[in-house]
Amino acid sequence: MDYYGLSLLIASLLTGVSCEGLTAVKDEEFRSEGSSVTLSYRYSKKADGTDYFFWYRQYPGKPPEFLISHTGTGTKLQDPVPGFSFKVRDDKTQMDLLIISAAVTDSAVYYCAVRPTVTGNTRTLYKNLQYSTTSTRGPHTLLNH
């Protein structure tokens, strides 16, 4: 069996929803093909059922691909792409994306974004969401090995 390494780079998504309070635990993961991979983000507060987390994968030159979403208490909302699951840690301050059996095709940039509870003037929020783009995400680059 040939050995293929893969590199997974995770970054904070700055658009569409919010990256406020989300910090990647590690910037990069290296794993062999077929192994499981856990990508983790810390949340600055204790998440609850009104915080919605969204996970994305992005290949070079392509738009982000939605993978899975869940609440801060661990209720799954959507999971259109097979092979991914999530875990909300007991203290509700760390969110994990689990890649069940990594393949070379999983080498990509991964994002976690949160849509926190909105109180007060929601009109401004929707206006800001309407004009956000997926091209602003910071100076992260993809590494393939």
Side-chain angles (χ1 to χ4, degrees):
M1 177 170 123
D2 291 332
Y3 173 80
Y4 294 98
L6 60 121
S7 170
L8 307 172
L9 185 67
I10 59 177
S12 297
L13 180 63
L14 301 178
T15 61
V17 280
S18 171
C19 70
E20 184 176 325
L22 280 176
T23 306
V25 173
K26 294 171 78 175
D27 291 333
E28 196 169 10
E29 288 285 341
F30 293 94
R31 294 288 187 267
S32 58
E33 190 171 23
S35 64
S36 63
V37 179
T38 301
L39 304 177
S40 302
Y41 272 86
R42 284 198 187 96
Y43 194 36
S44 63
K45 66 178 189 103
K46 183 176 178 177
D48 61 37
T50 61
D51 293 315
Y52 297 92
F53 293 85
F54 302 87
W55 291 89
Y56 299 87
R57 165 175 65 190
Q58 186 172 22
Y59 295 111
K62 302 287 183 184
E65 174 186 21
F66 171 66
L67 301 173
I68 196 167
S69 62
H70 58 87
T71 67
T73 55
T75 301
K76 180 172 58 176
L77 300 172
Q78 296 179 345
D79 61 344
V81 179
F84 296 91
S85 63
F86 67 90
K87 179 180 180 182
V88 176
R89 298 291 175 105
D90 290 339
D91 66 1
K92 308 287 190 281
T93 62
Q94 184 168 313
M95 310 298 147
D96 300 332
L97 176 69
L98 310 168
I99 303 173
I100 297 161
S101 181
V104 173
T105 56
D106 289 318
S107 292
V109 177
Y110 288 80
Y111 306 96
C112 181
V114 61
R115 184 177 69 193
T117 305
V118 177
T119 58
N121 182 5
T122 60
R123 189 172 180 189
T124 303
L125 171 70
Y126 295 125
K127 178 182 176 187
N128 291 339
L129 288 176
Q130 179 182 0
Y131 294 107
S132 59
T133 67
T134 58
S135 62
T136 310
R137 66 169 202 272
H140 301 287
T141 57
L142 174 69
L143 302 174
N144 286 315
H145 293 274

